[in-house]
Amino acid sequence: NDFAFKSELRKYHGFANFIGESIEMQKVYHRIMQVAPTDSTVLITGESGTGKELVARAIHRNSPRHEHPFVAVDCTSLAETLLESELFGHVKGSFTGAIHSKTGLFKVADGGTLFLDEVSNISLATQAKLLRVLQERVITPIGDTHPIPIDIRLVAATNKNLRAMVEQAAFRDDLFFRINVIPIDLPPLRERKGDLPLLILHFLRKFSEEMGKEVRGLAPDAMTLLEEYPFPGNVRELENIIERAVVLCEGDVIQRANMELRSAEEERGREFASVPVSLEELKETKKQMRERAVEPI
């Protein structure tokens, strides 16, 4: 039952940052508890803002490797030429600018967990090297000829469909099968709307405390607006919305006028038309989308 599940969950570490009691999230928690004690490679999938790194950290904290490092690598933030050096290391003088030897993150994570976030962004050339490392459990720093043994647990994550990328020859099929041993799929916020009140309360408390305000809730029309919103940016977007609303709120209850709902593109700093903020406009937009047989983004 639900009480027994929550009691079991309290025995585990790293779940404090997860907010949600929906069936969808209980499935995620259960899978984390199943896989954490093992050394199996995990592939976490889900849209941006769903909390993939939180899952990776919870897996590590409940694993036999929890006393060793958890090393996170954002594969989108590094140029391809730097990614290989970051992962495998290099020796002094191995290329222009290599004025010092560098220990690769595979070695930094030795004994612990290496988390490759947005693994889909790795080039095919580096994918081949990564596959070889996972098969042979050794790395060879750039410019070196001596393999270094490594002992890591790999957790990878992506917001893309790797199966489709394999079919398009944009991702190696052998690497996909190597990392997709235990899949964990995180549901988007629009599919777990039952968790919305808990998430809103959590962020209200967080930002009210940080800003020294006493914001105790949302006006009914403000809550309705959030219930109707598809959250293209998921939980991360909700967090930003509540933070802005707490800043703009002049009383102790957030009004609909304090709500600034943006699309996922705008959350990433790109320019495009904003999502209508009136409930009537939002309903009309969704109606038009249905008529065009287009799912809301």
Side-chain angles (χ1 to χ4, degrees):
N1 58 35
D2 188 49
F3 176 78
F5 179 81
K6 289 179 182 177
S7 299
E8 184 181 5
L9 199 60
R10 281 195 289 271
K11 295 187 294 185
Y12 289 78
H13 304 285
F15 284 85
N17 291 323
F18 287 99
I19 308 297
E21 299 177 358
S22 62
I23 294 296
E24 294 82 4
M25 288 307 295
Q26 287 193 33
K27 289 178 181 177
V28 172
Y29 303 150
H30 184 66
R31 179 59 68 93
I32 292 172
M33 292 187 290
Q34 282 183 310
V35 72
T38 74
D39 240 359
S40 298
T41 302
V42 179
L43 178 63
I44 306 166
T45 55
E47 297 175 8
S48 294
T50 49
K52 294 187 285 295
E53 186 168 337
L54 287 180
V55 172
R57 289 184 180 276
I59 291 170
H60 174 72
R61 290 197 61 186
N62 291 285
S63 76
R65 298 175 176 269
H66 68 274
E67 293 183 352
H68 296 280
F70 174 89
V71 178
V73 185
D74 183 355
C75 298
T76 62
S77 64
L78 296 168
E80 182 58 33
T81 52
L82 294 176
L83 182 60
E84 187 176 341
S85 171
E86 284 290 318
L87 292 178
F88 310 129
H90 65 254
V91 297
K92 180 180 177 181
S94 56
F95 55 86
T96 303
I99 57 176
H100 301 290
S101 293
K102 178 181 178 63
T103 302
L105 293 177
F106 264 97
K107 190 60 182 174
V108 173
D110 200 38
T113 302
L114 182 68
F115 174 54
L116 293 183
D117 196 11
E118 301 308 339
V119 68
S120 56
N121 290 294
I122 297 177
S123 73
L124 288 170
T126 304
Q127 286 177 34
K129 294 174 183 177
L130 175 59
L131 177 65
R132 190 159 57 247
V133 168
L134 296 177
Q135 288 173 333
E136 301 175 4
R137 295 288 162 172
V138 296
I139 58 169
T140 304
I142 298 172
D144 202 350
T145 56
H146 300 93
I148 301 171
I150 50 134
D151 172 26
I152 59 106
R153 197 252 185 95
L154 182 72
V155 178
T158 180
N159 62 3
K160 296 179 181 174
N161 185 333
L162 286 189
R163 289 185 184 276
M165 290 184 68
V166 168
E167 292 173 2
Q168 297 160 8
F171 200 87
R172 293 180 63 106
D173 57 350
D174 44 9
L175 179 60
F176 171 68
F177 293 122
R178 173 69 65 167
I179 65 176
N180 191 40
V181 179
I182 306 289
I184 298 180
D185 186 44
L186 285 180
L189 183 53
R190 62 183 174 275
E191 292 180 7
R192 46 177 288 223
K193 282 293 185 74
D195 291 331
L196 195 57
L198 287 174
L199 287 161
I200 290 171
L201 181 61
H202 170 75
F203 292 133
L204 272 180
R205 288 172 174 169
K206 173 185 175 182
F207 294 118
S208 295
E209 184 177 339
E210 285 181 6
M211 298 174 196
K213 289 190 169 186
E214 294 186 7
V215 181
R216 59 183 177 84
L218 276 67
D221 58 348
M223 187 66 193
T224 299
L225 190 61
L226 290 182
E227 289 172 344
E228 293 282 335
Y229 187 58
F231 289 102
N234 292 294
V235 178
R236 186 185 297 133
E237 182 181 14
L238 174 63
E239 182 176 12
N240 293 343
I241 288 169
I242 299 300
E243 180 178 5
R244 284 194 296 270
V246 171
V247 170
L248 298 174
C249 182
E250 296 179 348
D252 60 354
V253 175
I254 290 173
Q255 305 297 324
R256 193 171 76 168
N258 303 138
M259 290 290 168
E260 293 184 1
L261 306 187
R262 308 179 180 188
S263 67
E265 296 295 329
E266 193 170 5
E267 288 294 322
R268 291 193 290 268
R270 299 176 186 170
E271 294 182 1
F272 52 81
S274 61
V275 174
V277 294
S278 85
L279 183 58
E280 293 73 25
E281 288 178 314
L282 188 58
K283 286 181 176 178
E284 182 61 26
T285 300
K286 295 175 91 173
K287 178 183 176 185
Q288 292 172 0
M289 284 180 151
R290 283 195 299 270
E291 289 173 351
R292 295 199 304 267
V294 176
E295 289 291 326
I297 58 172

